[in-house]
Amino acid sequence: FYYVRAELPGVETRDLELSVINDRLILRGEKKTSEEGEKVNYHRKEREEGIFRRVITLPARVDVEKVEAKTKNGILTVKLAKAEEVKPKPIQVQVV
């Protein structure tokens, strides 16, 4: 298995999109602005807001049917199973 973790504080699950294409994991989402009603001028902000996209190249292809994604306390964990074609296959040696 391969594991990918991303810290996504303030990102709602409904604003998150994951996909796997070939050997890449694509993570898209949006951190929405705070709902304070009126414009606020900040002296300093620790968190960025807006749309983001990350492309993570994986070491090998994965089985897209066995991808699991969970989020807890603002941390996304994605578990990706290696595709059967990349798993080591034992070869039996015959005596002739």
Side-chain angles (χ1 to χ4, degrees):
F1 289 102
Y2 299 115
Y3 291 89
V4 176
R5 281 189 165 177
E7 294 182 15
L8 302 170
V11 177
E12 297 291 328
T13 307
R14 65 179 176 267
D15 297 326
L16 198 56
E17 180 184 323
L18 293 170
S19 57
V20 176
I21 300 173
N22 295 327
D23 62 345
R24 289 180 283 162
L25 172 67
I26 301 169
L27 170 65
R28 292 184 187 117
E30 181 177 4
K31 287 185 186 179
K32 302 222 173 157
T33 58
S34 57
E35 311 221 356
E36 297 180 21
E38 54 185 79
K39 295 237 178 202
V40 176
N41 291 327
Y42 291 96
H43 175 68
R44 180 177 179 164
K45 285 178 68 173
E46 293 291 325
R47 295 184 186 170
E48 294 294 323
E49 296 171 340
I51 297 172
F52 61 90
R53 179 176 184 259
R54 301 288 180 270
V55 178
I56 301 160
T57 302
L58 303 168
R61 289 185 184 244
V62 296
D63 186 346
V64 295
E65 301 298 322
K66 297 181 182 175
V67 176
E68 297 176 17
K70 297 178 183 178
T71 184
K72 183 178 180 182
N73 297 328
I75 298 177
L76 172 71
T77 302
V78 183
K79 180 179 175 183
L80 305 121
K82 294 178 185 179
E84 290 296 324
E85 63 198 37
V86 297
K87 288 185 180 176
K89 181 180 176 185
I91 300 170
Q92 188 171 355
V93 179
Q94 298 178 2
V95 177
V96 280

